[in-house]
Amino acid sequence: MIGKELIRNKLYNEFIKPTNQKKNFIGIEIEIPIVNLDKKAVDFNIVHKITEKFKNQYSDFKSDGIDYDGNIFSLKNPETDDIVCYDCSYNNIEFAMGKEKDLFTINERFCDYYSFVKESFEQYNHTLTGMGINPYRQYNLNQPIPSERYLMLYHHLKSFKNYQNLPMRFHNYPEYGMFSSASQVQLDVHKDNLIQTINVFSKLEPIKALLFSNSVLLGEDNDLTCFRDILWEYSTHGVNPHNIGMYNVDFKDISELQSYLESLNMYCVMRDGAYINFPSMNLLEYFQKDYVRGEIYCKGNYREIDVKPMLSDIKYLRPFKFINLTFRGTVEFRSVCTQPIKDSMCVAAFHLGLKDKLDDLEEIITTDDVLYHQGYTATELRKILIHDELPSFLNQKDLCNLTKEIVDLASLGLQERGIGEETFLNPLYARIKNHANPASEIKKLISKGVNLEKIIRDYGNLDMVV
């Protein structure tokens, strides 16, 4: 049994203390669906060939992850910390760009890697596209990458049938990590601004739903524009609702944030290089136990094993909130779907531009009566705004004006950086003007009879390099 004070101190050292450093870097991770245009499963042999081709083309990249079959699933450049890897399965490629101080540097390298990989796939009638849900997911083999992390994750997600008498329902897509894709941003945030950053940005989630939604579950649930929210909330990650979604509280200070961290659940640890899954449980409960019964993967099967909790297990705490604290002293924004590829930098530009405009942003939200202060929480508003139709209490024109005011503030924040990064916000102004987002545009095009393959190709085109 480990005392609460030791746990609290460990949480502080892992999550809060790193924010004492004054840095100002940007990190971007973009997950992108791979699509077989023959309407067949993505050919993993082709994926492995292209991985090797990329490694030969970009000789600074070194193997950083090899699966149980001997295939590379992650490559890393030690000079830039750029990582090109596969996320959850070989149906989903990820470009995790090393930290930089400006978006242009990141964009240049991303465009270079993306163009090479996409052109390589197109030689085999495969392609990449900028959608939050793989539009050809029904054809794919939903198999996790045979590695410790991804086998553990899939095993956890498949365990939903083991949870009984919970005040929630589960969807039937435990493989959703293999067909859903996100655009994530990490920003350095100093401890002095940490609480305000989480409080204010949490309230922005409804606006972000309007601007960035891009995950339609084609053929199954066409009503939602950001089905990714549902996939996370109604999975085993959502057994404890504090582990996913929004915070739904305004933190007064760091102590309250620490208490929130104590309310999170754990579901895995690692021993001797192997992951051990166990039923999702509150971390304080976990550390009060002498032993926890879990399951470990061994030679194709799972067997039961008892694990003794150790304080160092805090590093396996894996919340998937819209806004996450990381061990690196960054705040990770992870609620946004992958965007049409030509617009990829607009996500980071939006968050970066607002990061140092917290007082102004808070003033906009505090005084607004178009969206906020109408009897709904920010979480409820987000759930409303990922649907097609606006409810009667919302006026579309007024909502667009509010959204533009926020994007204008982001633009001002970028202008004050003096680099010209505000140009990356142009796609958002177009969306506001057209009362649209990428998901609603997909649905509109399909309703007009536009071929899905054309949409896939258009959303994957990198025809605007800023």
Side-chain angles (χ1 to χ4, degrees):
M1 183 180 297
I2 300 173
K4 185 174 179 179
E5 194 61 30
L6 285 174
I7 298 168
R8 192 172 182 85
N9 289 339
K10 184 66 171 176
L11 286 168
Y12 180 90
N13 288 332
E14 294 289 341
F15 288 100
I16 310 297
K17 188 176 179 179
T19 63
N20 280 323
Q21 304 175 61
K22 290 204 170 182
K23 303 175 293 179
N24 196 25
F25 288 101
I26 310 155
I28 296 175
E29 300 171 22
I30 303 175
E31 302 162 2
I32 299 172
I34 303 170
V35 177
N36 184 342
L37 295 172
D38 290 329
K39 295 186 179 180
K40 298 178 181 178
V42 168
D43 188 330
F44 293 166
N45 289 323
I46 291 172
V47 171
H48 302 320
K49 285 180 185 177
I50 290 170
T51 306
E52 290 289 344
K53 184 178 178 182
F54 184 94
K55 184 171 178 282
N56 292 333
Q57 175 72 17
Y58 298 90
S59 57
D60 289 339
F61 278 79
K62 310 301 178 185
S63 298
D64 192 48
I66 298 177
D67 70 21
Y68 293 157
D69 297 328
N71 297 306
I72 298 170
F73 66 87
S74 180
L75 292 164
K76 183 175 182 178
N77 183 332
E79 297 284 326
T80 62
D81 284 337
D82 291 345
I83 298 173
V84 175
C85 60
Y86 298 92
D87 185 68
C88 290
S89 80
Y90 289 113
N91 298 312
N92 204 27
I93 192 168
E94 177 178 327
F95 299 87
M97 310 304 297
K99 64 182 182 182
E100 293 290 348
K101 290 195 171 182
D102 73 279
L103 292 177
F104 288 106
T105 301
I106 295 173
N107 185 58
E108 182 179 2
R109 294 207 304 267
F110 167 72
C111 291
D112 182 24
Y113 305 151
Y114 177 83
S115 296
F116 179 84
V117 172
K118 181 171 179 282
E119 289 169 11
S120 298
F121 270 113
E122 289 182 343
Q123 294 174 15
Y124 300 93
N125 208 34
H126 285 52
T127 194
L128 307 181
T129 191
M131 295 184 182
I133 289 183
N134 192 314
Y136 281 1
R137 72 190 184 284
Q138 69 269 34
Y139 306 118
N140 284 340
L141 296 173
N142 288 315
Q143 299 174 348
I145 293 170
S147 70
E148 274 297 321
R149 179 187 174 193
Y150 292 119
L151 287 170
M152 174 277 296
L153 181 58
Y154 189 40
H155 191 62
H156 170 60
L157 291 168
K158 285 194 301 181
S159 71
F160 68 94
K161 294 179 182 177
N162 298 334
Y163 293 88
Q164 304 294 326
N165 302 317
L166 290 177
M168 67 174 291
R169 65 176 177 84
F170 291 103
H171 59 63
N172 293 312
Y173 306 100
E175 74 283 3
Y176 71 86
M178 305 176 207
F179 64 74
S180 66
S181 305
S183 179
Q184 298 165 2
V185 181
Q186 290 195 28
L187 299 177
D188 286 316
V189 175
H190 191 264
K191 181 181 174 183
D192 293 345
N193 299 322
L194 183 57
I195 296 301
Q196 188 182 19
T197 297
I198 293 174
N199 287 344
V200 176
F201 270 98
S202 290
K203 295 182 180 66
L204 266 192
E205 292 300 338
I207 296 293
K208 288 163 64 177
L210 285 173
L211 285 170
F212 299 110
S213 285
N214 190 28
S215 54
V216 184
L217 196 68
L218 294 170
E220 294 187 48
D221 193 323
N222 293 332
D223 178 48
L224 296 178
T225 56
C226 189
F227 201 83
R228 283 185 63 256
D229 285 12
I230 305 301
L231 293 172
W232 287 94
E233 181 173 357
Y234 297 107
S235 73
T236 51
H237 288 314
V239 167
N240 179 353
H242 277 201
N243 275 51
I244 49 91
M246 295 158 64
Y247 289 92
N248 285 329
V249 292
D250 271 339
F251 297 117
K252 293 179 181 177
D253 51 32
I254 292 293
S255 178
E256 285 196 2
L257 176 57
Q258 283 184 261
S259 295
Y260 195 96
L261 293 174
E262 292 169 5
S263 77
L264 299 174
N265 275 24
M266 296 179 61
Y267 62 88
C268 70
V269 293
M270 205 171 217
R271 295 289 185 271
D272 300 322
Y275 274 108
I276 298 169
N277 286 87
F278 47 83
S280 180
M281 68 178 70
N282 173 254
L283 70 88
L284 294 180
E285 177 188 352
Y286 171 77
F287 286 115
Q288 286 173 0
K289 294 181 177 293
D290 293 326
Y291 288 93
V292 172
R293 175 61 58 92
E295 292 181 296
I296 188 169
Y297 181 80
C298 183
K299 297 180 180 180
N301 295 299
Y302 286 88
R303 62 178 176 84
E304 290 190 336
I305 186 173
D306 288 332
V307 58
K308 182 177 178 62
M310 299 188 302
L311 191 59
S312 58
D313 291 338
I314 288 287
K315 65 185 174 184
Y316 301 110
L317 176 62
R318 299 176 183 274
F320 293 99
K321 300 197 70 63
F322 286 171
I323 302 174
N324 257 356
L325 274 175
T326 76
F327 298 135
R328 294 179 288 273
T330 64
V331 169
E332 181 181 51
F333 301 95
R334 46 175 300 112
S335 66
V336 174
C337 312
T338 294
Q339 299 295 288
I341 298 301
K342 66 183 178 60
D343 302 339
S344 290
M345 292 299 122
C346 72
V347 182
F350 179 80
H351 292 88
L352 180 63
L354 293 172
K355 187 187 83 162
D356 294 325
K357 291 292 183 182
L358 293 175
D359 289 340
D360 296 323
L361 182 55
E362 189 168 19
E363 176 70 14
I364 291 172
I365 293 170
T366 301
T367 58
D368 169 70
D369 59 6
V370 171
L371 178 62
Y372 305 99
H373 311 110
Q374 298 209 51
Y376 293 88
T377 66
T379 292
E380 290 167 338
L381 291 169
R382 168 102 182 180
K383 289 178 182 293
I384 289 169
L385 293 177
I386 63 171
H387 283 81
D388 271 341
E389 301 296 327
L390 291 178
S392 58
F393 74 90
L394 292 176
N395 178 279
Q396 188 174 66
K397 182 178 178 181
D398 292 340
L399 198 54
C400 286
N401 289 338
L402 171 63
T403 304
K404 183 177 182 300
E405 186 178 4
I406 291 170
V407 176
D408 283 344
L409 183 62
S411 181
L412 179 60
L414 294 173
Q415 290 171 37
E416 291 176 355
R417 285 167 55 84
I419 306 173
E421 295 159 311
E422 60 273 12
T423 191
F424 290 113
L425 294 174
N426 288 341
L428 303 187
Y429 284 110
R431 295 174 192 180
I432 294 168
K433 179 180 178 181
N434 296 327
H435 299 171
N437 55 44
S440 64
E441 197 62 27
I442 289 172
K443 295 165 75 168
K444 183 176 77 173
L445 291 169
I446 289 175
S447 70
K448 290 182 175 180
V450 176
N451 184 274
L452 180 56
E453 182 176 319
K454 179 178 181 348
I455 300 171
I456 290 169
R457 290 186 180 278
D458 288 347
Y459 272 53
N461 282 342
L462 191 60
D463 56 7
M464 180 190 73
V465 181
V466 179

